[in-house]
Amino acid sequence: SQKIEQNSEALNIQEGKTATLTCNYTNYSPAYLQWYRQDPGRGPVFLLLIRENEKEKRKERLKVTFDTTLKQSLFHITASQPADSATYLCALDSGGYQKVTFGTGTKLQVIP
Amino acid sequence: NAGVTQTPKFRVLKTGQSMTLLCAQDMNHEYMYWYRQDPGMGLRLIHYSVGEGTTAKGEVPDGYNVSRLKKQNFLLGLESAAPSQTSVYFCASSWGQTDTQYFGPGTRLTVL
C-alpha cells in the first residue's frame, strides 16, 4: 500500500544547529515533493517544492533533497532558531484524483 | 489580499445537526480543496474542485457534500453530523493541480 512516513516523534535540537527532517515514501512515483510548515492553530504554509529531476533545492536557511532511488526527501534548516519551532509536513504528488498527499508531519522544537 | 478565509473558526454541534463551512479565496485560483486534520492521521482530502461549478470526491468524502457556485467560494456541508466528524477542517486553493496550495486558518468542529 502507499505510505508516506515522517518521524512522528518530536525533534529537539539546540539553537544554531542544523535540523534534519525525513520524509520517506513507498509505492509512489512522485513528480515533485513539497514541504510545508504548520504552526499550532494555523493552516500549513508552503516552504519549498522540489521536482524529481532536481537533487537539491535551497531557500535561505532551508535545503531540501530528493532521492527517488531511496524514495526519500530530507529537509534541512541550518542555523536553527527558536522561531523555526513548528510542525513540518511533506506532501507529494500522488497522481490520480488526489494529486497531493500529505504526511503526518514532524514537530521540531529548537531550544534556546 | 486576504488569501484564504474560513468561517466559522469554531463550532460545536450535536449529533444529527447540520452545518455549512464557508471557504473564500481572493487569488482567482481554479483549484480549491477541503481537508480534515486529525491527530496522527495528517491532512486527508475530503472533496476538491477544479473550477467553478465542478466538484470531485477525495479520500474521505462520506458524510460531506460540497458546492462551488462561485469561483471564489467553496462550501462544505455536513447534513447529519456524527462524533467521528469532530476534527479541524482546512480549506486550500491553488492555481493548478501541481501548484503550491494556500491554506486557510482552519475550523475546529466538535460534534457531541
Side-chain angles (χ1 to χ4, degrees), chain A residues 85-96:
Chain A
S85 298
T87 296
Y88 291 86
L89 310 173
C90 71
L92 54 81
D93 158 38
S94 46

Side-chain angles (χ1 to χ4, degrees), chain A residues 2-4 6 23 28 32-34 36 89-95 97-104, chain B residues 35 41 43-45 59 101:
Chain A
Q2 294 179 316
K3 197 183 291 186
I4 302 172
Q6 292 187 259
C23 177
Y28 286 104
Y32 62 89
L33 191 145
Q34 303 177 19
Y36 289 76
L89 310 173
C90 71
L92 54 81
D93 158 38
S94 46
Y97 66 86
Q98 191 155 337
K99 311 307 179 192
V100 173
T101 300
F102 285 82
T104 54
Chain B
Y35 292 92
M41 300 291 287
L43 284 160
R44 291 184 292 168
L45 184 65
E59 180 186 357
Q101 293 189 24

Side-chain angles (χ1 to χ4, degrees), chain A residues 32 34 36 38 41-47 49 51 89 93 95-105, chain B residues 31 33 35 37 40-45 48 57-59 90 97-106 108:
Chain A
Y32 62 89
Q34 303 177 19
Y36 289 76
Q38 186 173 22
R42 293 179 175 266
V45 175
F46 171 78
L47 296 174
L49 180 150
R51 302 191 185 280
L89 310 173
D93 158 38
Y97 66 86
Q98 191 155 337
K99 311 307 179 192
V100 173
T101 300
F102 285 82
T104 54
Chain B
Y31 284 67
Y33 314 83
Y35 292 92
Q37 188 174 39
M41 300 291 287
L43 284 160
R44 291 184 292 168
L45 184 65
Y48 67 102
K57 294 180 180 179
E59 180 186 357
F90 288 102
Q97 69 185 57
T98 60
D99 292 314
T100 302
Q101 293 189 24
Y102 294 82
F103 283 82
R108 185 173 292 276

Side-chain angles (χ1 to χ4, degrees), chain B:
Chain B
N1 279 358
V4 179
T5 57
Q6 293 181 233
T7 52
K9 287 186 168 49
F10 302 93
R11 187 71 187 267
V12 178
L13 289 178
K14 293 182 180 178
T15 297
Q17 287 185 317
S18 64
M19 77 163 294
T20 300
L21 281 66
L22 172 63
C23 175
Q25 53 97 2
D26 61 2
M27 296 173 282
N28 203 33
H29 286 168
E30 290 293 336
Y31 284 67
M32 295 188 75
Y33 314 83
W34 275 107
Y35 292 92
R36 60 179 289 174
Q37 188 174 39
D38 303 289
M41 300 291 287
L43 284 160
R44 291 184 292 168
L45 184 65
I46 304 171
H47 287 280
Y48 67 102
S49 168
V50 302
E52 181 179 321
T54 75
T55 63
K57 294 180 180 179
E59 180 186 357
V60 288
D62 294 342
Y64 305 95
N65 56 75
V66 288
S67 64
R68 183 115 181 255
L69 298 179
K70 292 183 180 180
K71 187 176 185 179
Q72 63 267 34
N73 296 336
F74 196 28
L75 278 62
L76 178 72
L78 286 73
E79 288 186 350
S80 180
S84 61
Q85 294 178 305
T86 293
S87 186
V88 180
Y89 292 85
F90 288 102
C91 175
S93 69
S94 66
W95 285 111
Q97 69 185 57
T98 60
D99 292 314
T100 302
Q101 293 189 24
Y102 294 82
F103 283 82
T107 295
R108 185 173 292 276
L109 174 66
T110 301
V111 182
L112 302 175

Side-chain angles (χ1 to χ4, degrees), chain A residues 16-92:
Chain A
K17 301 290 187 184
T18 296
T20 299
L21 285 68
T22 304
C23 177
N24 295 305
Y25 59 92
T26 54
N27 293 323
Y28 286 104
S29 297
Y32 62 89
L33 191 145
Q34 303 177 19
W35 283 89
Y36 289 76
R37 169 185 173 139
Q38 186 173 22
D39 292 286
R42 293 179 175 266
V45 175
F46 171 78
L47 296 174
L48 282 168
L49 180 150
I50 186 166
R51 302 191 185 280
E52 60 178 339
N53 60 348
E54 298 174 314
K55 295 293 185 193
E56 183 180 296
K57 202 83 169 278
R58 291 176 185 262
K59 180 183 176 183
E60 298 172 353
R61 294 185 295 112
L62 309 180
K63 184 178 85 171
V64 172
T65 62
F66 192 10
D67 190 325
T68 56
T69 301
L70 291 178
K71 296 187 182 296
Q72 180 182 79
S73 175
L74 299 178
F75 177 79
H76 306 271
I77 305 176
T78 58
S80 59
Q81 305 165 0
D84 296 325
S85 298
T87 296
Y88 291 86
L89 310 173
C90 71
L92 54 81

